[in-house]
Amino acid sequence: MAAGLPDNSLELRSTVTSDGRLELSLQDVPVPTPTANEVLVRVEASPINPSDLGVLIAGADMATATVSGTQERPIVTASLGAVAGLAARIDKPLPVGNEGAGTVVAAGESSAAQALLGKTVGIAGGAMYAQYRLVDAGACLVLPPGATAKDGASSFVNPLTALGMLETMRREGHSGLVHTAAASNLGQMLVKLCLADDVPLVNIVRKSEQEALLRTLGAVHVCNTASPTFEADLVAALKATSATLAFDATGGGTLAGQILNAMEQAASSTATEYSRYGSAVHKQVYIYGGLDTSPTILTRNFGMAWGVGGWLLTPFLMNAGAEVVGRLRARVADELTTTFASTYTREVSLAGMLRPDAFNSYVKRATGEKFLVTPQALP
Amino acid sequence: MAAGLPDNSLELRSTVTSDGRLELSLQDVPVPTPTANEVLVRVEASPINPSDLGVLIAGADMATATVSGTQERPIVTASLGAVAGLAARIDKPLPVGNEGAGTVVAAGESSAAQALLGKTVGIAGGAMYAQYRLVDAGACLVLPPGATAKDGASSFVNPLTALGMLETMRREGHSGLVHTAAASNLGQMLVKLCLADDVPLVNIVRKSEQEALLRTLGAVHVCNTASPTFEADLVAALKATSATLAFDATGGGTLAGQILNAMEQAASSTATEYSRYGSAVHKQVYIYGGLDTSPTILTRNFGMAWGVGGWLLTPFLMNAGAEVVGRLRARVADELTTTFASTYTREVSLAGMLRPDAFNSYVKRATGEKFLVTPQALP
């Protein structure tokens, strides 16, 4: 063990109990010693992404949450509606937190590991809501000079998702994108990326201030679902961009179907011959989030050349292969504090995550609100 | 012109008028003379498929239909709810009828065309609700010896759709199928095909007599949506078959989502590790028909590895390429009166199609009811 490191440290755990409760708590875990190609990262910053909340909250009704324990070690307990689908995690205290950044404070013997000592790195792979994380040296993204752990906290999920959307567009033969919940951190990255890569992008937001924010970033097409002219605006933007691939973070309700119908209207607006099956242009919506957990409702006036499906970052990266992933990661490092800069509205310690004023806020998944966890901060 | 052929013949036309009416009538058209590689087919039998009704009826409300004209030349007029999406066909009298069969009564000079003279052939490509049809010799499927035009009337759409489902399954890496509206002529073909090819098939029907019919054909897995145990039966059948690809003829309502959820339950029933994103098994439903035109409602409890989309025979065949299509067509010819045998519940002449007792029945698209048009029959 490197000099000055503690024997034990704190790690957040989420447990679904067999009697139908969610329990969030901080556990004491030993600080491991890296060997071979491993490094030990002191986690200094980790975001709360929508993709973390599934494991963290497990669908519990946080309106029922009570907090016990101490100031340093709060214990949150809440009711779960049902444990269906959760059988495999019952009574197993799961670590949480997909990504984060921090300082390499100890390293195994390999030269690659040793070379990282003292470096600030971005890491991914779960269990980041913790004070220390042991990872393989190859998993570390060395941050550019001057970048802080806070700068690098979100260097995987959102940047690689935005880049993955563009890769998917090119692979599947589309030439423009539609993005919903477009004012999110991810959406802002996508606006900057599409401008840089000259890819037409249609942004869908719910509020006029979100529209204004995206326009300051240079977004050309922004459609507001709250506007009375939303559907016509969307068709006009789709005619202008010929975008036939959408990434939808909401999932539920009628939005995916509205996008397909608007794409079909744009595609068939120049048709001269009647086809009872609609245009031959393939229109695709990938649902990559579940901000709206209500059913997806598709009113099928969009012909037969269409698809809706799930899209996830991890299978995309596995399919894309090491070379592509390496190229995407290098771009993230290069543009970490520009294209891929994230903004946070609040910082909390590990214990702070378990206080009602925090969890009642981050469980809302509100676009524009983003928490940063700082595991080294005082409780 | 070959001896004994008339100068003119009858052809059914469907017109959407600019003032919002559907008009169905019989037109006198010249009987053409084949040249080069063309042949003239005297159409003797042509089915009314669900895929014909879109062009024929154009979504008109047939409860408002009135019939004028004469016994020989009826004219049907009905109200259209809206002409949105129909702009490209307004005031154009469209021919109808995707496929049929008959006798080659005249041929162009090419040896391929001449070789077909007198042969009974199956043909596709539209305008089959007519007494004569000019086609390229290469488009003809020569029926096996002894097969009648009635035997060959449905030798394209349903047989190639059933074979296309199996091809799609193999191409996309699935090993079993689910089929809805499974008691249809197409469904019966699929049962026989899957038995012959040793492909596990889960049949979904709505009535116990449909279940009985499929079991007499040898179907192993038949789930009845009217049964109180439908959902459990479906999960059990999916566990037994590992089928992860469904073809759904209905399209609307909750059925596609129920299938995906049952596939996910089957896939995750053996999971030992919790995944918040559900199983990694890709679950796909292709909607290839629209028997239920209401919205598709997906209650997404099936993880993130899923897709729903449209599937159409013509783009499938275009993608598959000439070699595959040739192989599939040869199989249809070989097994025309066995695997691919169709049954009809009623025969009508061209004029007979335009009588209320006929159209009020075939517009219902009832599974198990099938009309055959016999254009040479007396009005």
Side-chain angles (χ1 to χ4, degrees):
Chain A
M1 180 50 56
L5 290 176
D7 293 335
N8 288 290
S9 66
L10 290 179
E11 184 170 297
L12 187 144
R13 296 292 175 97
S14 169
T15 311
V16 167
T17 66
S18 49
D19 59 349
R21 288 174 300 110
L22 169 77
E23 194 177 288
L24 304 176
S25 62
L26 303 183
Q27 308 271 301
D28 267 309
V29 293
V31 174
T33 301
T35 61
N37 205 46
E38 292 170 342
V39 297
L40 183 70
V41 178
R42 185 179 65 214
V43 183
E44 289 149 3
S46 171
I48 303 181
N49 289 319
S51 52
D52 294 310
L53 292 174
V55 175
L56 186 68
I57 304 299
D61 178 3
M62 295 305 279
T64 68
T66 57
V67 183
S68 58
T70 66
Q71 172 81 358
E72 290 75 26
R73 304 287 176 95
I75 298 168
V76 178
T77 307
S79 296
L80 282 163
V83 293
L86 300 171
R89 63 170 289 189
I90 285 176
D91 293 333
K92 296 177 186 164
L94 297 183
V96 196
N98 284 319
E99 63 182 337
T103 308
V104 176
V105 292
E109 313 83 59
S110 84
S111 57
Q114 287 292 320
L116 292 175
L117 262 176
K119 292 276 201 305
T120 306
V121 297
I123 50 179
M128 296 300 165
Y129 300 155
Q131 294 184 304
Y132 291 90
R133 179 71 160 84
L134 192 74
V135 295
D136 189 87
C140 294
L141 184 76
V142 177
L143 302 189
T148 64
K150 184 176 171 179
D151 292 330
S154 296
S155 54
F156 286 86
V157 178
N158 280 343
L160 291 177
T161 300
L163 288 166
M165 290 174 177
L166 278 164
E167 285 289 311
T168 301
M169 179 198 80
R170 294 186 182 109
R171 270 158 200 249
E172 300 188 1
H174 302 274
S175 59
L177 286 175
V178 179
H179 189 221
T180 74
S184 64
N185 264 324
L186 170 60
Q188 296 177 44
M189 288 178 194
L190 196 62
V191 167
K192 290 184 269 183
L193 263 180
C194 286
L195 280 172
D197 287 14
D198 206 15
V199 169
L201 172 67
V202 178
N203 298 277
I204 297 178
V205 299
R206 289 176 305 138
K207 296 176 182 171
S208 54
E209 56 267 34
Q210 295 169 337
E211 182 175 346
L213 168 68
L214 293 185
R215 295 216 186 266
T216 65
L217 295 176
V220 178
H221 304 282
V222 189
C223 301
N224 183 347
T225 55
S227 162
T229 59
F230 170 66
E231 297 203 359
D233 295 346
L234 184 57
V235 172
L238 291 168
K239 282 186 190 175
T241 57
S242 297
T244 48
L245 175 62
F247 284 89
D248 175 29
T250 65
T254 58
L255 188 55
Q258 285 178 291
I259 293 169
L260 289 172
N261 279 314
M263 285 176 175
E264 177 66 9
Q265 284 182 57
S268 61
S269 61
T270 54
T272 53
E273 196 173 328
Y274 171 72
S275 164
R276 110 140 190 96
Y277 295 117
S279 76
V281 175
H282 185 77
K283 301 160 292 289
Q284 179 73 39
V285 177
Y286 284 120
I287 294 175
Y288 75 95
L291 297 177
D292 178 348
T293 55
S294 73
T296 309
I297 298 171
L298 307 171
T299 301
R300 307 183 315 287
N301 294 322
F302 38 68
M304 292 295 279
W306 64 279
V308 174
W311 190 95
L312 266 188
L313 178 60
T314 305
F316 163 77
L317 294 174
M318 283 165 60
N319 273 326
E323 195 200 353
V324 171
V325 174
R327 172 165 55 79
L328 302 184
R329 285 183 60 177
R331 182 165 183 181
V332 175
D334 286 348
E335 304 175 26
L336 186 64
T337 58
T338 54
T339 312
F340 301 111
S342 291
T343 54
Y344 304 95
T345 47
R346 194 158 153 202
E347 296 187 11
V348 286
S349 66
L350 288 174
M353 283 184 74
L354 305 189
R355 295 194 185 114
D357 63 314
F359 62 68
N360 285 331
S361 176
Y362 61 68
V363 296
K364 287 183 194 153
R365 300 165 159 84
T367 302
E369 296 243 346
K370 186 100 182 173
F371 275 66
L372 186 72
V373 182
T374 54
Q376 305 300 325
L378 293 175
Chain B
M1 178 51 56
L5 289 177
D7 293 336
N8 288 290
S9 66
L10 290 178
E11 185 169 295
L12 188 142
R13 296 292 176 95
S14 169
T15 311
V16 167
T17 66
S18 49
D19 59 348
R21 289 175 298 111
L22 169 76
E23 194 178 286
L24 304 176
S25 62
L26 303 183
Q27 308 270 301
D28 267 309
V29 293
V31 175
T33 301
T35 61
N37 206 45
E38 293 171 340
V39 297
L40 183 70
V41 179
R42 184 178 66 214
V43 182
E44 289 149 3
S46 171
I48 302 181
N49 289 319
S51 52
D52 294 310
L53 292 174
V55 175
L56 185 69
I57 304 300
D61 178 4
M62 295 305 279
T64 68
T66 57
V67 183
S68 59
T70 65
Q71 171 82 358
E72 290 75 25
R73 305 287 177 92
I75 298 167
V76 178
T77 307
S79 296
L80 282 163
V83 294
L86 300 172
R89 64 170 288 189
I90 284 176
D91 293 332
K92 296 177 187 165
L94 297 183
V96 196
N98 284 318
E99 64 181 337
T103 308
V104 176
V105 292
E109 312 84 57
S110 85
S111 55
Q114 287 292 319
L116 291 176
L117 263 178
K119 292 277 200 308
T120 306
V121 297
I123 50 179
M128 296 300 164
Y129 299 155
Q131 294 184 305
Y132 291 89
R133 180 71 160 83
L134 192 75
V135 294
D136 189 86
C140 294
L141 184 77
V142 177
L143 302 188
T148 65
K150 184 175 172 180
D151 291 331
S154 296
S155 54
F156 285 85
V157 179
N158 280 343
L160 291 177
T161 300
L163 288 166
M165 290 174 177
L166 279 164
E167 285 287 313
T168 301
M169 178 197 81
R170 294 185 182 110
R171 269 157 200 250
E172 299 187 3
H174 302 274
S175 59
L177 287 174
V178 178
H179 189 222
T180 74
S184 65
N185 265 324
L186 170 60
Q188 295 178 44
M189 288 179 194
L190 196 63
V191 168
K192 290 184 270 183
L193 263 180
C194 287
L195 280 172
D197 287 14
D198 207 15
V199 169
L201 172 67
V202 177
N203 299 277
I204 297 178
V205 299
R206 291 176 305 137
K207 296 177 180 170
S208 55
E209 56 267 35
Q210 295 169 335
E211 181 175 347
L213 167 68
L214 292 186
R215 295 216 186 266
T216 64
L217 296 177
V220 178
H221 303 283
V222 188
C223 301
N224 184 347
T225 55
S227 162
T229 59
F230 170 67
E231 298 203 0
D233 295 347
L234 183 57
V235 172
L238 291 168
K239 282 186 189 172
T241 57
S242 297
T244 49
L245 175 62
F247 283 90
D248 175 27
T250 65
T254 58
L255 188 55
Q258 283 178 293
I259 293 169
L260 289 172
N261 279 314
M263 285 175 175
E264 177 67 8
Q265 283 183 56
S268 61
S269 61
T270 54
T272 53
E273 197 174 325
Y274 170 72
S275 164
R276 111 138 189 96
Y277 296 118
S279 77
V281 175
H282 185 77
K283 301 159 292 287
Q284 179 73 39
V285 176
Y286 284 120
I287 294 175
Y288 75 96
L291 297 178
D292 179 347
T293 55
S294 72
T296 310
I297 297 169
L298 306 172
T299 301
R300 306 182 316 285
N301 294 321
F302 38 69
M304 291 296 279
W306 64 278
V308 174
W311 190 94
L312 266 188
L313 179 59
T314 305
F316 163 76
L317 294 174
M318 283 165 61
N319 273 326
E323 193 198 356
V324 171
V325 174
R327 173 165 56 78
L328 302 185
R329 285 183 61 177
R331 182 165 182 182
V332 175
D334 287 349
E335 305 176 24
L336 186 65
T337 57
T338 53
T339 311
F340 301 110
S342 290
T343 54
Y344 304 95
T345 47
R346 193 157 153 202
E347 296 186 12
V348 285
S349 66
L350 288 174
M353 283 183 75
L354 305 189
R355 295 194 185 115
D357 62 313
F359 63 68
N360 285 331
S361 175
Y362 61 68
V363 295
K364 286 184 195 154
R365 298 163 161 85
T367 301
E369 296 244 345
K370 187 102 182 170
F371 275 66
L372 186 71
V373 182
T374 55
Q376 306 300 324
L378 293 177

